[in-house]
Amino acid sequence: MAISIVRVDDRVIHGQTMTLWTKARPVDGILVVGDNIAHNTLRRKVLKAAANELKVGIYTVEDAPDKIQKGIDSKKNFFLISDSPQTFSQLVDNGVDFGKTLNVGPMNTRPGTKVLGRTVAIDQKDYEAFDNIANHGIDVQFQLLPDDEIKHWSTMKAKYDSMD
Amino acid sequence: MKILLLSHGNSASGILDGYSMIAGNNSNIDYIQLDESGISKFSNKVTDYLDKNNQVLVICDIAGGTPYNVSFDYFLSHSDKIRVISGLNLPMLLELGTSNVDILDEAVSLAKKAGQTGIQIAEDEEPDNDIDF
């Protein structure tokens, strides 16, 4: 497989991605999935610029399966990133196999979210998405930086459930 | 290998603060800043630090300033254990601090490359979407 990381990150591509994750994992290009991003020209421009010399492909959920398969079959290495777990949940429902691990980076506070950690806040839809992904046998790993300790979905889920 | 940041005023600690925000703390990076307490005090602190540490990459804010001159002077008699460069910037420090480079001359090349390529000019271009699989 030549998808070297599958990641949820609400800023998609930024300083930590480019300075730390690109050193921790092999990468020749970045595949970004998200209907909202694919339809936002300004955001696409910003992400392309953020990736410096790395090529970026930005796709809708509908177009992504074909591109993900090409990435998997390629000899090159790709990061697969979306700004929301709901995107990956949709992909899983559509039968897309992107591997057995989903890494979760920053998810900032938004209206309706519960704060589960310094950089992780999720709402009910995110919760259901993570649950769905985990139920498909994918290990959901919360880990901001490559050297950080990994927390698994079961831990984060219990924390969410324990909060009012 | 240690990295020592030297600056006029607080830019060294400021850049290190930015570094920590992105990459987390790094115990191999230190700084000494020239302030109102004067040049001789600054100079003593730098010399003291360099005496106590082996293999130090000194990064100064500007070539020819006092921080640079003090460390350059030290370098002339201790080229076995330190290197001195100028033009400290955040991309340079991020590249150095997150790579595992441990050889001074390699660190110097890496710093120069990262410091220079870190200067980018924003251009408004239509994004293409061609990934070469």
Side-chain angles (χ1 to χ4, degrees):
Chain A
M1 298 252 294
I3 300 282
S4 53
I5 189 168
V6 186
R7 178 167 166 97
V8 174
D9 186 324
D10 63 7
R11 282 170 290 148
V12 189
I13 302 169
H14 52 95
Q16 288 166 346
T17 325
M18 295 311 296
T19 59
L20 299 173
W21 286 104
T22 57
K23 288 202 177 68
R25 310 280 177 100
V27 62
D28 301 298
I30 301 177
L31 312 179
V32 176
V33 184
D35 292 350
N36 54 336
I37 306 171
H39 293 133
N40 183 336
T41 307
L42 185 66
R43 189 131 189 240
R44 286 170 54 204
K45 285 182 183 179
V46 171
L47 291 176
K48 299 261 176 189
N52 292 331
E53 74 278 11
L54 284 179
K55 282 279 189 183
V56 182
I58 300 171
Y59 311 109
T60 58
V61 171
E62 189 186 340
D63 293 339
D66 175 52
K67 304 297 182 181
I68 293 171
Q69 194 55 49
K70 279 188 177 157
I72 289 169
D73 294 339
S74 170
K75 281 179 186 158
K76 294 181 180 173
N77 292 290
F78 296 94
F79 285 4
L80 174 61
I81 306 177
S82 180
D83 61 348
S84 169
Q86 297 168 41
T87 307
F88 289 112
S89 181
Q90 278 178 275
L91 291 174
V92 165
D93 284 339
N94 294 347
V96 179
D97 179 5
F98 52 77
K100 286 295 161 207
T101 308
L102 175 66
N103 167 278
V104 185
M107 295 179 69
N108 278 288
T109 317
R110 293 149 285 146
T113 55
K114 293 183 184 178
V115 178
L116 303 183
R118 198 169 56 80
T119 58
V120 180
I122 70 169
D123 65 13
Q124 190 59 32
K125 282 187 172 170
D126 297 329
Y127 178 98
E128 284 159 16
F130 282 129
D131 229 24
N132 183 41
I133 293 162
N135 286 338
H136 280 79
I138 294 164
D139 184 11
V140 180
Q141 305 183 340
F142 293 78
Q143 186 190 32
L144 183 67
L145 306 179
D147 289 338
D148 288 350
E149 190 195 341
I150 291 168
K151 285 188 177 137
H152 297 273
W153 171 237
S154 52
T155 309
M156 300 302 256
K157 179 179 174 164
K159 189 161 184 188
Y160 187 96
D161 290 340
S162 73
M163 297 166 90
D164 288 328
Chain B
M1 190 189 80
K2 290 277 189 183
I3 296 171
L4 178 64
L5 314 179
L6 301 182
S7 67
H8 296 77
N10 298 328
S11 64
S13 58
I15 285 175
L16 183 56
D17 188 49
Y19 175 94
S20 305
M21 195 172 203
I22 295 170
N25 292 330
N26 187 327
S27 59
N28 288 320
I29 308 176
D30 297 303
Y31 63 85
I32 300 172
Q33 303 179 142
L34 178 59
D35 55 26
E36 309 81 53
S37 60
I39 289 173
S40 64
K41 208 167 178 183
F42 172 82
S43 176
N44 288 341
K45 277 193 215 165
V46 172
T47 307
D48 199 40
Y49 181 95
L50 295 174
D51 281 342
K52 281 180 184 151
N53 289 283
N54 192 23
Q55 304 302 299
V56 182
L57 176 63
V58 182
I59 312 180
C60 305
D61 53 359
I62 185 170
T66 294
Y68 185 89
N69 294 344
V70 167
S71 40
F72 183 62
D73 186 59
Y74 193 97
F75 165 74
L76 292 177
S77 51
H78 299 84
S79 62
D80 55 323
K81 59 179 281 189
I82 81 162
R83 291 291 180 277
V84 180
I85 60 173
S86 68
L88 170 64
N89 63 32
L90 184 55
M92 176 194 284
L93 191 61
L94 278 169
E95 190 64 30
L96 281 170
T98 59
S99 68
N100 291 319
V101 58
D102 209 34
I103 294 162
L104 282 177
D105 286 325
E106 285 179 15
V108 166
S109 320
L110 191 66
K112 186 175 180 188
K113 183 165 173 259
Q116 290 176 336
T117 56
I119 299 169
Q120 303 233 345
I121 296 151
E123 285 178 57
D124 187 358
E125 290 173 338
E126 276 313 303
D128 59 54
N129 222 21
D130 7 306
I131 285 259
D132 183 12
F133 290 98

